[in-house]
Amino acid sequence: MGQTKSQFSDEELQDYEDLTFFSKKEILLAHKKFKSLAPEKVGHNKNAKLSMSKILQYPELRVNPFGDRICKVFSSSEDGDMTFEDFLDMMNVFSDACPKKLKAEYAFRIWDFDGDDMLGVSDLKQVIERLCGSENKLDDCDMKEIIHCILAEADFDDDGALSFPEFEHVTDKSRDFLNSFRIRL
Amino acid sequence: MSSFGKEKRNFMTEDNEDLDRIEVITTSTASSRTELFTQQDVSQNLLAIGNEQSYRIYVTAASDDNKSKKSDCGGSRDGTDEQCVDESIELITNFVALSDKRTTSPLSALACSFNRGATPTNMVRRWSQTLARFDRDKNSIREKTIYRMPSRKYFEVDGNLHATNGLEAENEVELLAQEIEQHDGLMQDTALSHQHRLETLRALPQPLSTKRSLKRKLAISIEQHASEQHKCSWCHNMTNAFISFLLRTWRVIGVISHRVEIWYDDLKTIEGQFGCNVSSYFKFLRWLLMLNIVMLLCVLMFIIFPQLLYNTMATEVNLNQTSLVVGYSANRRDSASTLFLNLLTGEGYLQNSLLFYSGYSDATFRLHPSLSQYSLPHAYFMTMLVLYLLIFIIISTKMARVYRLSFIQAAGNGRGILAAKTICAWDYGISNRKAADLKHIAIFSELKAILNEKTVPKRTLTIWWRIWIFFSRAIAHMLVAAIIGGAGVGVWILLKELDSNDDVSGVRTLSTAGILNLTMLLMQSVLSWISRMEDYRSPRRTLHIALLRNFFLEAVIVSVLVYFLLTKPYSQCWETHIGQELYRFIVMDTFICLLIIPFFCVTRALLASLYWPWLGGPDFDISQKSLGLVYNQTLLWLGLLFAPLLVAIIVCKMFLKFYINKALLMYLCKPSCHIWRSAQTHTLYLVFTFVSLLGVILTLGFIMTQLPMSSQCGPFRDSGYMFQIFIDGVLQLRENQTLWRLLTLLVRPAAVGLMLVIMSTLVYYLRAKSRARRLMVKLLKEMIYLEAKDKEFLLNRIMNITKNRDSSLVDARSIGRRRLHTTLQRPPVEVSIENEISGTNSSQPTARSDGFILRSRNT
């Protein structure tokens, strides 16, 4: 712990504590976890940029079907590579204390594959494919049906895609969103 | 919604303003969120019209105080008026052409062709939208800062701008800072304001670097602000210091409570392998354990420790009054087996120990002549009273919160099943490859099942089939009622039978508890089996019904037991007898939970792996186990009053239970391959806990006020009823005191009736309010639907226009140009594009656009 502590100045730690939902101890723990992904590199430079493949070694992200999307969304360089600050940002959003609205915002971005700020048919298709895994293939007809159902349920203004407010409406009403969209540090 | 059905799309040409400015002004003063979001959507759609052009569009949204703010950034301002009008018209043409290309449906065309501005800027826009509604109400300041912030929107459609470069980020910080600086509540140099500021920053969907520079920027401007003012009085400083002290304390408490959190890593492992449903059981266990530890600490501090002190003092002075000492010396000759049996039954040397009521004395003592007196009976009573009240408050607030979250807030979402399921399908906490694979399969099969339900037409139920279902369920319910009633009667007979025997040897007394616990266990499986036979459509319903029945069974058995214990004639010290009975129950329950059930699980797993694979591994039945916890807790609360150290036993038991269950889960059980949602069931357990606590408190209230205490033992041997020690000793009430009179007045029927009436009125009022809200929600949903219809209508109109646009739009252009030339010499003239288009189309005003006026201003 002592060594990890020495990598941050007090001011930096205070900043992190102020701007995230973590306490100082948790921030250091986060850094420890970050460091365990690439011990030498981070040991030299605490803010080293790790490549996406390295970040995807993190247990929860490794098995997450949206791992690469999560990396891309939180990466400051938008290519999936992450510095410690990006990593902290990510853990912050996935933490328990994070409000539902912020979580919904990032969940929306993670699912918005084409980046048009709408969850269109193609986005939803990818989401469902990833959720079902590579072995379980839904046939086209089923897929269409599911997407149709989702849109019928959630697409209030009938424009064939979920906008953020519509998405947030679903997450607001869902009992399990907070439970499931969470990674413990 | 003033503009329903009216034509509102005007292109106005005016003097003195830039031509390249297109503003979308929301005309409605919508305050509801749903309305807002439609508007936002529509504005987005309209804005995206300019997508193909490298335009920047300035959005002005009227917040509910009708103040429209403008934000702008430069476009191509060097163009002449003429060019700009050209561009505006081109823009429309372009859009029309775009929607023309995709002939499938206007809506999907719209959806596909719009390449709306992507992530960072949009997120800022959303965030700032909530910031707009910030008013100066200090109480709701925090709420509003985070969730309801303003709506000065900054929105760019130019695709090139999305790439973030240094300048861009700088710009963004600048804008965000401006946004926050508009709010006085956030910009004061006080501790509270600082806290709100930090909370606002935390809730900002921005990377950490942006947040940090924003923080710096705000700090600087606040410093300037503060130095300008210079009017900090000492009062101001004091409040400031006090608030910051409170905030710091709060933070420290948070950190400490976080450190105290036990089993963090264990829970994480469980969650990683089995998902959050299974871990919710362990969290419930941990929560109850924490509650019990608090109880244990209180009991130790205020009851046990003083009693021990007193006992040592008493032996020192050779006052052999304490029954404890007598008890020890009398039983010293017992053999080891008797000692062990006594340990199980709570008889013998345990009877007069500190474990039970009779081990406590009614003395008042002082440790040192200079110290004040410590009255043991008062301490006993007050500790118990405060503990029960505390637990009641904790559990009811927690239940209310969870209930609100999982039932009320989530209510009214009858149709959003699939969408919600898809969104929450993945459990992000899973970190294990095997669990992840299982989760994939579970999601896949769940989706398949939902699809089947939807596509296969509902079983056309014949009338006979329905009658069959109705009768079978009715029979099942009656059967269950009969079983539960029978169990109650059986327990009663059994208790009578066992009691009539004079043989009070250890095994005999132990058998009551053993038989009852085993009956309960067996009955529970029978009941679960019955509800599985009943063929309810949703598994959740099956589960809930089974849980409810099991809970009823438990309640019936426990209440029969309590009734029996309270009405039984006792020779002496009935309090200790009740305590002993409950002690035996808890001991037997501990044996069953910690030894017998794990033993069966292990045997089953061994048999399955060695001989009969069809048997399958044991499944981890969360519902049954959680109910077990509730039962356990009920027994504890019942017994605590007469056996304070029971809580220590329960704490040990729960510790062991956690590890045993974890081991069983990790080594023997497989993750369940069907998804079931934890949130609602968890609320149900809390409700059960609450109901049992309520029952226990009522029973104890009855005991305290109605049953005369035994006069041979215990701390209350001198006071007739338990509550009298409180009335006489603590409140020092006498017959003629005002408070006493007030109390007697309060419990009169008239006063109680009045209170009941007031409460019912309140309930009625709240109910009426909630109904009105529900109606409002329905209305708003209909409005959204209407808006969508309007949009569709508009798009259809545009499609119609495009069919013969070739000539007309060219005409329109030339007309527009001509007009412009003339407007340069004339005062502002409104040119309605509809008129021009409809010149060829001869249709009525093209469309309304959902309360938006699209204008081009000619300066």
Side-chain angles (χ1 to χ4, degrees):
Chain A
M1 232 10 158
Q3 201 209 341
T4 331
K5 204 164 205 163
S6 66
Q7 285 196 315
F8 290 99
S9 68
D10 279 350
E11 194 193 358
E12 272 173 325
L13 268 183
Q14 187 60 45
D15 256 1
Y16 289 149
E17 192 181 19
D18 283 349
L19 298 175
T20 62
F21 298 100
F22 291 129
S23 66
K24 280 181 183 140
K25 198 184 153 211
E26 286 170 307
I27 289 162
L28 291 178
L29 180 66
H31 191 254
K32 210 167 109 192
K33 298 224 162 170
F34 183 69
K35 200 173 170 182
S36 69
L37 295 174
E40 292 123 53
K41 211 168 168 189
V42 183
H44 286 130
N45 171 15
K46 63 176 191 281
N47 254 333
K49 185 171 256 185
L50 300 187
S51 66
M52 184 151 97
S53 54
K54 272 267 190 292
I55 295 288
L56 284 177
Q57 297 292 309
Y58 194 75
E60 272 89 354
L61 295 184
R62 195 177 52 216
V63 298
N64 195 314
F66 307 106
D68 57 326
R69 283 297 305 165
I70 295 176
C71 286
K72 282 208 175 99
V73 164
F74 286 99
S75 155
S76 49
S77 51
E78 292 183 1
D79 53 2
D81 299 351
M82 284 170 118
T83 61
F84 173 63
E85 291 201 353
D86 298 335
F87 182 78
L88 195 63
D89 253 341
M90 178 179 84
M91 294 321 279
N92 186 34
V93 169
F94 282 112
S95 73
D96 274 331
C98 178
K100 216 172 191 177
K101 197 175 168 74
L102 197 57
K103 280 185 188 252
E105 180 77 61
Y106 278 98
F108 186 75
R109 282 186 66 185
I110 288 168
W111 285 20
D112 185 13
F113 289 88
D114 51 10
D116 63 352
D117 206 32
M118 291 287 261
L119 292 184
V121 175
S122 63
D123 292 327
L124 287 175
K125 190 166 178 237
Q126 279 208 54
V127 165
I128 293 167
E129 270 170 5
R130 283 176 181 229
L131 278 176
C132 289
S134 45
E135 292 101 60
N136 316 302
K137 283 263 178 288
L138 282 168
D139 54 43
D140 276 357
C141 188
D142 284 349
M143 183 67 85
K144 252 184 208 154
E145 184 68 29
I146 289 175
I147 291 172
H148 178 78
C149 284
I150 292 176
L151 287 179
E153 280 169 9
D155 184 18
F156 282 101
D157 59 0
D158 209 15
D159 58 358
L162 296 185
S163 63
F164 177 71
E166 288 159 351
F167 181 82
E168 201 197 2
H169 185 75
V170 179
T171 57
D172 255 357
K173 288 287 177 188
S174 157
R175 300 173 187 106
D176 287 299
F177 178 66
L178 275 183
N179 275 343
S180 59
F181 198 74
R182 183 183 61 184
I183 296 178
R184 290 162 76 90
L185 197 61
Chain B
M1 300 290 125
S2 55
S3 54
F4 260 74
K6 281 189 219 157
E7 150 198 6
K8 284 281 179 191
R9 262 173 81 248
N10 299 325
F11 269 56
M12 290 171 60
T13 53
E14 280 174 25
D15 282 343
N16 307 326
E17 273 191 49
D18 285 333
L19 253 178
D20 59 342
R21 214 183 259 187
I22 298 174
E23 289 183 29
V24 177
I25 298 174
T26 60
T27 50
S28 85
T29 59
S31 54
S32 83
R33 199 159 150 218
T34 25
E35 263 176 273
L36 245 179
F37 92 58
T38 342
Q39 284 181 4
Q40 188 193 339
D41 252 16
V42 176
S43 69
Q44 228 170 302
N45 294 350
L46 286 171
L47 285 172
I49 290 168
N51 173 37
E52 301 287 300
Q53 314 268 326
S54 62
Y55 269 88
R56 297 171 185 200
I57 297 183
Y58 305 86
V59 183
T60 323
S63 53
D64 47 357
D65 51 356
N66 264 341
K67 178 174 67 182
S68 43
K69 304 168 193 161
K70 292 173 196 170
S71 63
D72 44 337
C73 75
S76 53
R77 297 204 178 199
D78 49 345
T80 62
D81 296 351
E82 210 178 318
Q83 269 177 336
C84 295
V85 170
D86 268 1
E87 277 168 356
S88 322
I89 295 172
E90 225 164 66
L91 194 136
I92 301 286
T93 333
N94 234 322
F95 168 58
V96 167
L98 267 174
S99 41
D100 203 23
K101 266 184 240 160
R102 335 234 158 170
T103 44
T104 46
S105 101
L107 289 174
S108 61
L110 195 68
C112 298
S113 63
F114 288 170
N115 178 17
R116 265 151 283 228
T119 40
T121 17
N122 266 1
M123 284 167 66
V124 177
R125 179 172 48 79
R126 268 179 226 137
W127 169 80
S128 68
Q129 191 184 34
T130 15
L131 198 75
R133 326 184 107 235
F134 186 88
D135 61 28
R136 282 168 189 106
D137 182 1
K138 280 209 168 168
N139 289 329
S140 56
I141 194 165
R142 179 183 156 196
E143 179 80 348
K144 295 199 169 167
T145 325
I146 300 174
Y147 297 106
R148 311 228 144 257
M149 286 192 131
S151 77
R152 201 186 97 190
K153 292 182 222 154
Y154 169 73
F155 185 60
E156 293 164 320
V157 183
D158 187 348
N160 296 331
L161 286 173
H162 297 146
T164 43
N165 49 45
L167 196 73
E168 185 72 12
E170 199 98 312
N171 217 351
E172 213 158 86
V173 172
E174 191 79 39
L175 275 165
L176 288 170
Q178 279 174 14
E179 194 73 63
I180 292 175
E181 276 166 11
Q182 283 173 0
H183 303 288
D184 292 342
L186 290 176
M187 294 304 288
Q188 272 148 23
D189 191 21
T190 61
L192 202 64
S193 165
H194 180 72
Q195 187 69 14
H196 291 321
R197 208 158 47 233
L198 286 186
E199 268 160 19
T200 317
L201 286 179
R202 273 182 216 145
L204 194 65
Q206 287 288 320
L208 214 53
S209 49
T210 315
K211 285 188 198 173
R212 192 168 28 211
S213 34
L214 191 57
K215 190 185 156 201
R216 297 271 142 73
K217 210 170 193 87
L218 288 177
I220 292 168
S221 65
I222 282 165
E223 232 164 62
Q224 287 170 352
H225 205 62
S227 59
E228 278 166 22
Q229 287 188 339
H230 279 310
K231 50 180 179 185
C232 296
S233 63
W234 64 270
C235 172
H236 182 80
N237 282 340
M238 284 286 283
T239 16
N240 216 351
F242 181 65
I243 289 171
S244 62
F245 169 74
L246 280 186
L247 289 174
R248 225 176 307 133
T249 332
W250 184 244
R251 192 129 221 201
V252 168
I253 290 174
V255 170
I256 289 174
S257 68
H258 194 262
R259 290 231 172 129
V260 167
E261 195 182 355
I262 49 171
W263 298 329
Y264 185 88
D265 292 330
D266 299 274
L267 280 177
K268 192 170 152 58
T269 334
I270 291 171
E271 198 169 292
Q273 290 212 7
F274 294 89
C276 60
N277 293 327
V278 175
S279 81
S280 81
Y281 161 75
F282 287 95
K283 275 184 200 152
F284 186 49
L285 176 66
R286 185 179 65 176
W287 183 70
L288 285 178
L289 178 71
M290 283 304 179
L291 210 63
N292 289 341
I293 286 179
V294 171
M295 276 161 70
L296 178 65
L297 286 180
C298 288
V299 167
L300 279 181
M301 264 199 299
F302 297 113
I303 304 179
I304 312 272
F305 182 61
Q307 182 68 45
L308 278 176
L309 270 181
Y310 174 73
N311 286 346
T312 44
M313 275 169 68
T315 38
E316 268 174 27
V317 196
N318 273 333
L319 293 172
N320 277 342
Q321 290 167 343
T322 38
S323 38
L324 180 82
V325 186
V326 179
Y328 270 130
S329 54
N331 288 312
R332 194 146 296 165
R333 290 171 284 117
D334 286 342
S335 65
S337 65
T338 336
L339 282 180
F340 179 67
L341 204 62
N342 284 343
L343 194 65
L344 290 184
T345 57
E347 302 279 355
Y349 66 96
L350 277 180
Q351 185 165 7
N352 288 325
S353 68
L354 284 186
L355 194 52
F356 297 115
Y357 175 80
S358 55
Y360 295 85
S361 74
D362 62 342
T364 301
F365 70 105
R366 55 178 84 205
L367 270 181
H368 191 268
S370 63
L371 293 171
S372 56
Q373 285 195 331
Y374 194 89
S375 162
L376 288 172
H378 285 114
Y380 195 99
F381 186 81
M382 288 312 289
T383 313
M384 290 298 173
L385 192 74
V386 169
L387 270 184
Y388 278 110
L389 283 182
L390 193 75
I391 292 168
F392 185 74
I393 291 169
I394 290 176
I395 288 188
S396 40
T397 44
K398 178 157 173 122
M399 189 192 71
R401 205 182 61 230
V402 175
Y403 181 77
R404 198 186 62 228
L405 281 179
S406 73
F407 278 87
I408 299 178
Q409 277 186 12
N413 195 24
R415 50 189 216 135
I417 307 161
L418 190 62
K421 273 197 175 158
T422 324
I423 286 176
C424 311
W426 191 260
D427 191 342
Y428 283 70
I430 288 183
S431 60
N432 176 295
R433 172 58 62 191
K434 241 163 87 185
D437 287 344
L438 267 173
K439 192 85 188 170
H440 280 307
I441 294 170
I443 293 170
F444 179 71
S445 49
E446 171 124 352
L447 286 179
K448 273 272 186 201
I450 293 175
L451 271 188
N452 280 340
E453 221 169 85
K454 291 221 174 193
T455 46
V456 175
K458 277 185 184 168
R459 282 187 289 179
T460 43
L461 299 175
T462 58
I463 186 104
W464 291 112
W465 186 248
R466 268 184 215 179
I467 289 175
W468 161 243
I469 285 184
F470 175 77
F471 272 106
S472 65
R473 283 186 193 166
I475 288 170
H477 282 302
M478 281 194 289
L479 188 69
V480 169
I483 288 178
I484 293 175
V489 174
V491 167
W492 180 258
I493 293 172
L494 185 78
L495 286 170
K496 277 271 178 220
E497 185 65 30
L498 286 171
D499 193 52
S500 62
N501 260 320
D502 287 336
D503 173 28
V504 279
S505 73
V507 186
R508 192 92 206 182
T509 45
L510 209 56
S511 61
T512 324
I515 289 173
L516 284 196
N517 272 322
L518 280 178
T519 328
M520 209 174 294
L521 204 70
L522 290 180
M523 288 288 195
Q524 279 180 357
S525 5
V526 171
L527 290 184
S528 307
W529 183 73
I530 289 179
S531 55
R532 231 172 283 155
M533 290 291 109
E534 275 173 83
D535 185 31
Y536 287 106
R537 193 160 299 161
S538 76
R540 174 181 287 175
R541 193 147 175 211
T542 317
L543 181 78
H544 284 186
I545 284 180
L547 277 178
L548 259 181
R549 286 174 179 169
N550 281 338
F551 180 69
F552 275 129
L553 177 75
E554 252 177 47
V556 164
I557 290 184
V558 172
S559 43
V560 166
L561 176 80
V562 168
Y563 183 72
F564 175 78
L565 287 176
L566 288 182
T567 52
K568 193 168 130 182
Y570 291 102
S571 50
Q572 57 163 4
C573 275
W574 55 271
E575 299 92 346
T576 309
H577 281 283
I578 292 181
Q580 280 174 327
E581 199 64 48
L582 289 165
Y583 172 79
R584 285 192 282 264
F585 261 82
I586 286 176
V587 167
M588 282 317 285
D589 189 47
T590 313
F591 266 98
I592 290 174
C593 282
L594 299 187
L595 293 177
I596 298 180
I597 291 181
F599 173 74
F600 272 113
C601 280
V602 172
T603 337
R604 183 174 162 179
L606 277 180
L607 285 181
S609 62
L610 292 179
Y611 303 108
W612 307 308
W614 50 266
L615 203 58
D619 38 332
F620 195 77
D621 192 348
I622 304 164
S623 58
Q624 213 69 273
K625 283 184 194 293
S626 307
L627 214 56
L629 285 180
V630 176
Y631 171 65
N632 202 15
Q633 206 61 29
T634 316
L635 288 184
L636 169 68
W637 285 325
L638 265 179
L640 186 69
L641 188 62
F642 298 130
L645 270 180
L646 268 189
V647 64
I649 298 171
I650 293 279
V651 165
C652 298
K653 177 187 168 182
M654 283 177 131
F655 254 108
L656 289 176
K657 201 169 181 175
F658 183 89
Y659 286 108
I660 289 178
N661 273 329
K662 191 191 156 204
L664 282 182
L665 182 72
M666 298 304 258
Y667 297 116
L668 299 180
C669 301
K670 274 188 311 197
S672 154
C673 55
H674 60 266
I675 301 177
W676 69 276
R677 309 275 148 183
S678 62
Q680 227 180 7
T681 325
H682 187 70
T683 318
L684 211 60
Y685 301 138
L686 273 177
V687 172
F688 288 157
T689 321
F690 177 75
V691 171
S692 355
L693 181 64
L694 200 66
V696 168
I697 285 182
L698 287 180
T699 318
L700 294 183
F702 173 78
I703 290 176
M704 283 179 184
T705 52
Q706 303 296 323
L707 293 183
M709 306 306 281
S710 53
S711 56
Q712 294 91 6
C713 57
F716 306 111
R717 62 189 84 165
D718 293 332
S719 40
Y721 296 100
M722 204 189 254
F723 78 103
Q724 274 181 347
I725 203 157
F726 181 67
I727 301 286
D728 300 343
V730 181
L731 295 181
Q732 309 215 312
L733 289 179
R734 299 289 171 267
E735 286 287 318
N736 47 6
Q737 270 181 342
T738 343
L739 191 60
W740 176 250
R741 261 185 257 146
L742 202 71
L743 273 180
T744 42
L745 196 75
L746 273 183
V747 291
R748 272 192 192 163
V752 173
L754 190 70
M755 271 193 280
L756 279 180
V757 167
I758 291 173
M759 274 195 239
S760 344
T761 325
L762 259 178
V763 169
Y764 179 76
Y765 168 72
L766 289 176
R767 212 180 128 69
K769 217 169 144 184
S770 84
R771 265 198 196 160
R773 292 248 165 92
R774 221 168 284 162
L775 274 180
M776 196 65 205
V777 167
K778 210 174 145 201
L779 206 73
L780 287 171
K781 274 190 182 160
E782 271 166 19
M783 270 172 134
I784 294 175
Y785 177 72
L786 280 179
E787 297 242 332
K789 284 274 151 215
D790 281 334
K791 202 160 82 181
E792 203 177 333
F793 176 73
L794 166 72
L795 284 163
N796 276 334
R797 266 308 164 63
I798 292 175
M799 293 281 282
N800 278 342
I801 296 161
T802 48
K803 276 178 191 155
N804 32 23
R805 87 197 141 88
D806 312 328
S807 51
S808 65
L809 268 179
V810 174
D811 284 355
R813 255 174 150 182
S814 55
I815 292 169
R817 206 168 291 167
R818 231 177 296 134
R819 288 238 172 148
L820 257 176
H821 283 302
T822 50
T823 46
L824 286 175
Q825 289 99 37
R826 282 194 305 172
V829 178
E830 210 178 63
V831 183
S832 175
I833 198 162
E834 276 76 32
N835 290 343
E836 295 175 14
I837 295 172
S838 64
T840 48
N841 200 24
S842 76
S843 68
Q844 273 296 304
T846 319
R848 51 156 303 262
S849 62
D850 302 329
F852 288 85
I853 305 174
L854 184 61
R855 288 172 171 178
S856 163
R857 281 196 184 202
N858 173 11
T859 35

